[in-house]
Amino acid sequence: MTADGKSVYNGMPATDLGEQGWERPWSGPNGGQCVETKQLTDGRVAFRQSTDPAGPALIYAAEEIAAFVRGVKAGLADHLVAG
């Protein structure tokens, strides 16, 4: 639930999650387009695009984020990077 009692769901407007607590752990090559993350009170993690902060938020369970990070560290996402 958000501070105003709304349910948190995948694809909801990121602004419904409030403006506090968003971080930029990854940044584009020129500091431009960034992915922002926010730890939710129930342990899930929200992602949004910094250039579209009112756009949709993608919501993932902590376990999903942990699995993704492990996979990236293991090289399983290397095919996503050109060159």
Side-chain angles (χ1 to χ4, degrees), residues 5-82:
K6 294 181 183 179
S7 293
V8 174
Y9 60 92
N10 204 19
M12 70 185 295
T15 51
D16 287 354
L17 295 171
E19 288 305 314
Q20 298 298 319
W22 290 98
E23 299 177 358
R24 290 183 181 182
W26 304 284
S27 182
N30 298 317
Q33 296 186 14
C34 300
V35 173
E36 296 179 327
T37 62
K38 180 175 182 167
Q39 186 79 37
L40 303 178
T41 57
D42 63 4
R44 293 183 293 170
V45 179
F47 284 73
R48 74 177 181 183
Q49 178 62 38
S50 67
T51 57
D52 187 16
L58 300 177
I59 312 295
Y60 295 97
E63 298 82 15
E64 293 172 308
I65 297 301
F68 177 76
V69 170
R70 282 192 305 272
V72 168
K73 288 180 177 181
L76 299 176
D78 289 353
H79 67 284
L80 299 174
V81 181

